[in-house]
């Protein structure tokens, strides 16, 4: 599959403002080109296709390069107007703003029509966050949904960030990238109700990745011979990946615990821990104590902050079972279940899930327009765990 691109730079801007009218005018002129040419010199008609407007906020050249690769892959299945917003790092953030517009197309072999999408690249400066909504609103295509994918670590405690979120229909972020995980999560939980009142949907890729873990957990307790274990849990151990370069990020584990607490009516009673080992005590509706351990283990950079294993133990009137859900090391899109009951009978089950494929995960988010009530409920429950852990560690 070949790629066709036609582009042009725009004049540099001063201060926090971008000349949106110039951007639209230059794009219109690019579209007036009736055709482009493939590698063999044959004319190809450009077909304009957009199903939404996607704004992508990145920090620095490395993230910008990564985001461009993602955008190229996504646009083959989900062509949209894409606005890449780049905030340079360090002293480079004081540079003047500039913008570039392009039309990018994918061409299958032998085809004479190429589906195309617009890409607008804007380099920002430090004063731009306050004025970012004034860039986003006029660049969103009318009558189509607008998405903001905050690829960088979001400044959730900055009120300017909230105003930016309110300028779009849906915000996608990833709490696995939070710089100060517990403090940022608590700020996010405070932002959610405000955005909901303004009809902006917020989604967290870290929550979406929990789908296979939730499904495997439900499947286990749905087995007729083990349904009793749900009301007889005594211990749960969760292991998350951690790289020494970044602070330990327990948010995926806390969201998983928040989901279980919401579904099973658990209440937190005690918490303690260190920077990479947390202990929690919760009680079920029958006042039965359940011991939780959150452990960090060294891993590769790509798995930092991700769930690696969840182990359960249940015991009741001489019956005991232990089971573990594990993310496969060989194939990152697989989770495995290993269960041993009191008769030492073992059961193994492997489960592939699209939510563990980053590209498909993001594509699913772009195809969703409704809020997830389970996410809001899990965040509400997880907030108490994050608050207690932060207080204990401070």
């Amino acid at each position: 599959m070949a790629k066709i691109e036609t582009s042009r730079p725009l004049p540099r801007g001063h201060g926090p403002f971008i000349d949106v009218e110039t951007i639209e005018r230059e794009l219109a002129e690019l579209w007036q080109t009736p055709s482009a040419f493939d590698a063999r010199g044959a004319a190809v008609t450009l077909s304009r296709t957009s199903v939404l407007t996607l704004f992508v906020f990145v920090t620095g050249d490395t993230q910008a390069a990564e985001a461009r690769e993602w955008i190229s892959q996504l646009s083959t299945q989900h062509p949209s107007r894409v606005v890449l917003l780049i905030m340079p790092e360090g002293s480079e953030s004081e540079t003047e703003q500039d913008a570039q517009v392009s039309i990018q197309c994918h061409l299958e072999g032998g085809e004479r029509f190429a589906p195309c999408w617009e890409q607008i690249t804007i380099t920002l400066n430090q004063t731009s966050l306050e004025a970012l909504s004034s860039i986003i609103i006029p660049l969103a295509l009318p009558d189509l949904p607008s998405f903001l994918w905050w690829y960088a670590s979001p400044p959730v405690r900055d009120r300017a960030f909230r105003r930016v979120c309110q300028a779009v229909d849906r915000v996608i972020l990833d709490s696995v990238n939070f710089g100060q995980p517990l403090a940022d999560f608590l700020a996010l939980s405070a932002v959610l109700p405000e955005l909901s009142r303004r009809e902006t949907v917020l989604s967290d890729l870290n929550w979406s990745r929990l789908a296979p873990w939730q499904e495997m957990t439900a499947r286990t307790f749905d087995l007729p011979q083990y349904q009793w274990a749900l009301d007889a849990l005594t211990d749960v151990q969760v292991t998350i990946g951690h790289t020494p370069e970044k602070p330990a990020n327990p948010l995926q584990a806390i969201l998983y615990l928040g989901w279980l607490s919401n579904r099973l009516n658990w209440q937190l009673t005690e918490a303690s821990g260190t920077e990479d080992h947390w202990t929690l005590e919760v009680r079920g509706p029958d006042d039965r104590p359940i011991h939780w351990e959150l452990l960090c283990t060294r891993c590769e950079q790509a798995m930092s902050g991700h769930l690696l294993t969840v182990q359960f133990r249940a015991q009741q009137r001489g019956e005991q079972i232990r089971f573990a859900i594990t993310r496969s090391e060989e194939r990152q899109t697989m989770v495995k279940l290993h269960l041993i009951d009191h008769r030492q009978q073992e059961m193994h089950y492997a489960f592939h899930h699209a939510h563990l494929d980053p590209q498909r995960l993001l594509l699913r988010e772009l195809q969703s327009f409704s809020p997830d009530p389970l996410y809001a409920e899990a965040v509400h429950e997880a907030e108490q765990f994050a608050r207690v852990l932060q207080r204990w560690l401070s």
Side-chain angles (χ1 to χ4, degrees), residues 55 71 122 126 142 177 186 190 226 234 242 258 302 328 363 385 394:
F55 298 91
I71 290 166
I122 299 176
Q126 288 286 20
N177 295 326
L186 291 172
Y226 303 122
T234 58
H242 177 225
S328 170
L363 184 61
F385 303 118
S394 60

Side-chain angles (χ1 to χ4, degrees), residues 17 43 47 70 96 175 265 273 330 392:
F17 301 106
S47 175
W70 278 85
E96 293 178 330
S175 60
N265 196 24
E330 300 82 18
W392 197 91

Side-chain angles (χ1 to χ4, degrees), residues 225-244:
Q225 66 270 40
Y226 303 122
Q227 287 179 353
W228 62 269
L230 189 60
D231 296 321
L233 287 173
T234 58
D235 298 274
V236 184
Q237 186 181 87
V238 179
T239 303
I240 57 176
H242 177 225
T243 53

Side-chain angles (χ1 to χ4, degrees), residues 49 192 387:
T49 309
L192 274 176
R387 196 174 302 280

Side-chain angles (χ1 to χ4, degrees), residues 113-150:
F113 293 88
C116 305
W117 69 95
E118 301 167 334
Q119 181 166 313
I120 304 165
T121 302
I122 299 176
T123 301
L124 305 166
N125 58 36
Q126 288 286 20
T127 61
S128 300
L129 188 58
E130 289 287 342
L132 196 53
S133 57
S134 66
I135 298 173
I136 287 176
I137 292 173
L139 286 178
L141 292 170
D143 302 320
L144 290 177
S146 56
F147 286 65
L148 171 61
W149 176 24
W150 202 281

Side-chain angles (χ1 to χ4, degrees), residues 153-154 156-157 178-189 251 390:
S153 178
V156 290
R157 285 172 279 174
F178 281 2
Q180 298 179 10
L182 294 174
D184 289 346
F185 179 78
L186 291 172
L188 177 66
S189 66
L251 296 183
Q390 185 188 47

Side-chain angles (χ1 to χ4, degrees), residues 214-233 235-236 256 259-260 264 266 312-314 321 323 325 337 339 347:
Q214 294 165 326
E215 185 165 347
M216 190 69 84
T217 303
R219 285 189 180 196
T220 303
F221 290 118
D222 279 343
L223 294 171
Q225 66 270 40
Y226 303 122
Q227 287 179 353
W228 62 269
L230 189 60
D231 296 321
L233 287 173
D235 298 274
V236 184
Y256 178 74
W259 168 69
L260 279 175
L264 301 176
W266 289 347
F312 293 86
R313 186 161 68 92
I321 64 167
F323 64 91
I325 305 171
L337 172 68
L339 187 147
M347 182 181 73

